[in-house]
Amino acid sequence: MNVLTANQITKSYGNRWNRQEVLKGIDMKVEKGEFVAIMGASGSGKTTLLNVLSSIDRVSGGSIQVEGKEITAMKERELAQFRKHHLGFIFQDYNLLDTLTVKENILLPLSIRSIPKREADAKFQIVAEDLGIYELKDKYPNEISGGQKQRTSAARAFIHEPSLIFADEPTGALDSKSASDLLNKMSGMNEKRNATIVMVTHDPVAASYCSRVIFIKDGNVYTQLVKGTETRQSFFKDIMKTQGVLGGVSVEQ
């Protein structure tokens, strides 16, 4: 079953005299339970693609369906309600509220939906334990590490069991150990909860945790790789080879 279907997505900026075409008719589908990476060189359009797929930005043309709902046709109020129930977000810079504890930050998606406290607390305990941050529940963001902040951000994205989770360079600000910890946890959540994740990354190490990698070049889908039964190490080598064909992207360990 497709959770996400995008048809002929275009995105342009500027006016008719000075127009920049960033996305040039992209088609893609994401099935329930997939962990998909979107990769490409700087300026390829991968972040713009994530922004329009996640409804952060509007498309110039084409259609996007999430769970069979046409989000490109929704008005802002309807879209806000749809995001609240169906989408989760993990950002590179965490986007945590400094005045709230770890627990309060994670519970935000449930608090705006008026979930009963007992039910919310039970959901919090499960997701926080799965991500290894339950013992941090009473700490504030300035009292925890970058890796712990990102796992808090991930817990906030997972807690309301959205149809689709978007992750924008989630390991970009982390050291290698924290990045590995986060990716292992996200991979575990993908498997345990059958969570559907779409992640933009420049890092082939991060992409190797995914089940499929879509490569973007000059606003178009260039190719894709499917992990299948490959080991993560073997899949990493395939990703590196494809990057080489594309012109190469620096690997940050």
Side-chain angles (χ1 to χ4, degrees):
M1 174 187 172
N2 292 326
V3 174
L4 172 70
T5 303
N7 292 311
Q8 288 298 292
I9 297 301
T10 63
K11 180 64 181 178
S12 300
Y13 296 98
N15 53 45
R16 60 179 177 171
W17 296 284
N18 183 22
R19 181 172 296 274
Q20 181 187 7
E21 240 189 323
V22 181
L23 303 178
K24 303 173 183 176
I26 286 180
D27 294 323
M28 66 177 284
K29 295 179 179 179
V30 177
E31 293 185 1
K32 183 167 179 58
E34 276 198 289
F35 188 176
V36 177
I38 298 172
M39 299 191 76
S42 179
S44 62
K46 63 184 185 296
T47 299
T48 300
L49 177 60
L50 186 80
N51 287 344
V52 297
L53 292 176
S54 64
S55 76
I56 290 173
D57 199 1
R58 292 281 192 175
V59 296
S60 300
S63 68
I64 299 169
Q65 292 186 355
V66 176
E67 294 281 25
K69 298 290 179 70
E70 180 71 50
I71 66 170
T72 42
M74 291 181 183
K75 302 294 186 185
E76 283 303 325
R77 182 173 293 183
E78 184 184 6
L79 195 53
Q81 288 296 316
F82 187 83
R83 281 193 206 104
K84 188 189 299 184
H85 290 88
H86 293 280
L87 303 182
F89 298 89
I90 306 172
F91 299 100
Q92 181 176 338
D93 57 358
Y94 321 128
N95 279 20
L96 301 177
L97 297 178
D98 293 335
T99 56
L100 299 183
T101 63
V102 164
K103 181 178 181 179
E104 289 167 341
N105 268 287
I106 293 170
L107 286 173
L108 273 176
L110 300 185
S111 64
I112 60 177
R113 290 171 56 186
S114 303
I115 300 292
K117 185 177 186 303
R118 181 175 294 181
E119 182 183 345
D121 284 345
K123 287 179 178 291
F124 163 76
Q125 183 168 348
I126 292 169
V127 75
E129 287 179 347
D130 283 345
L131 284 161
I133 51 174
Y134 182 74
E135 71 282 358
L136 304 174
K137 63 184 185 296
D138 296 321
K139 292 187 178 293
Y140 288 88
N142 65 356
E143 298 175 316
I144 61 178
S145 69
Q148 291 166 338
K149 287 178 185 177
Q150 196 59 295
R151 279 184 278 150
T152 299
S153 176
R156 182 182 58 193
F158 280 104
I159 195 167
H160 61 300
E161 300 177 71
S163 305
L164 192 53
I165 292 171
F166 292 99
D168 185 7
E169 299 278 11
T171 62
L174 304 180
D175 60 58
S176 58
K177 183 182 183 305
S178 296
S180 177
D181 287 346
L182 175 70
L183 290 162
N184 276 312
K185 297 292 187 186
M186 287 177 65
S187 182
M189 297 290 274
N190 165 249
E191 293 173 9
K192 180 178 179 179
R193 293 175 169 240
N194 202 29
T196 309
I197 306 169
V198 176
M199 174 178 71
V200 159
T201 182
H202 67 281
D203 185 356
V205 175
S208 69
Y209 284 81
C210 297
S211 53
R212 181 161 59 106
V213 182
I214 298 171
F215 293 88
I216 305 297
K217 182 178 182 180
D218 298 330
N220 292 293
V221 173
Y222 175 77
T223 191
Q224 66 175 348
L225 296 175
V226 178
K227 187 176 185 180
T229 58
E230 280 191 87
T231 64
R232 191 171 68 79
Q233 290 74 18
S234 175
F235 195 42
F236 167 78
K237 290 178 182 177
D238 289 345
I239 294 166
M240 289 290 290
K241 287 177 186 175
T242 304
Q243 279 195 329
V245 174
L246 277 168
V249 180
S250 62
V251 180
E252 294 183 9
Q253 298 289 346

